[in-house]
Amino acid sequence: MIVFGPVPSRRLGRSLGINNIPFKHCPYNCVYCQLGETRYQHLKAADYYSPNQIFQSVQEKLQRLLEKNEKIDYLTFVADGEPTLDKNLGETIDLLRDLKIKIAVITNGTLLRNERIRNSLSNCDLVSLKIDSGSPAVWKQVNQPVDELNWEEFIFGLKAFAKNFTGQIITESMLVKGLNDSEENIELIAQFIGELRVTTAFISAPIRPPVKNWVTLPEEKVFLNAYQIYTRNDKIPKVELLINYEGNDFTIGEKVEEDFLAIISVHPMREDAVRDFLRKAHLNWEFIDDLLANEKIKRLSYQSYQYFMRKNVNREE
Ligand code: SF4
């Protein structure tokens, strides 16, 4: 399913997700990824869905939401992998402009060394860049980039993009205990973010089940210290901590199963959110038992919560 949600997002309000690539193409294999191991790790943009197909899916979904008076803040490209691997992204964004809703792309920035990809984002309102490390050694440990990608080119791409992009740039840095949460690394990240003309820098934590089961959150004092380090940098106008659960404000349409599976394939859902979702859909827990029995979804425990996600992912159990 190409369009999912809307889902609640601290960064973007109520966001209608656009999953513009098939599972899971990404130049990274981040240790905290909530989607599972990267199945196709590469840097080559390709044709997946046509711009028209995406436009129509979004338009139909919006129509249904409009009938229910549902408000959308952003159309957000947030894929089962890296959205800039879609060769037609620029053309699709241009088409979606007609819908008069702000457009965001959440990217790891690995393809921005390529001018064509930088230009393809020029027509969106907001780009969120993932920056988890300030040095190549930590980058390799946290994001495990594909071999052909080198640090200098990656940094060049982000800077070149920030120089010319006229929309809003935000960053997100996910801190993992013992990996990229040292003061030294956080100082380097803040310094680099300061060069990117950002409006807000978010510091986040792996609050949903990560692909590597040894990944854990740093202690609270690490986040508070990171917050201090970022705010000391006068080139970062606003800093926000994203270390709490984002809420349960998920929306259901008529196709309940399809909608539920589309959301949890990109966005593993906590048990309380699932219960809330079922209540809104006038369903009981048998709905979940059936999906579990048919191996369409799986249950995971993380940080003393139960989560539900789609079964098509490979992860360490
Ligand atoms: S977290 Fe994002 S960038 Fe990292 S592996 Fe998963 S999809 Fe790719």
Side-chain angles (χ1 to χ4, degrees), residues 174-181 206 214-219 222-223:
M174 179 82 86
L175 298 183
V176 176
K177 187 173 184 178
L179 217 55
N180 62 346
D181 63 341
W214 47 263
V215 165
T216 50
L217 285 78
E219 287 159 34
V222 172
F223 289 104

Side-chain angles (χ1 to χ4, degrees), residues 248-250 252 271-281:
N248 294 344
D249 193 13
F250 295 96
I252 344 141
E271 183 173 340
D272 51 328
V274 172
R275 291 193 182 278
D276 211 44
F277 186 95
L278 293 178
R279 193 181 43 74
K280 286 186 203 159

Side-chain angles (χ1 to χ4, degrees), residues 24 26 28-30 32-35 38 80-82 108 130:
K24 178 196 167 183
C26 189
Y28 278 175
N29 189 20
C30 303
Y32 57 74
C33 186
Q34 60 186 30
L35 301 172
T38 297
D80 262 359
E82 170 49 37
N108 58 32
K130 177 190 292 301

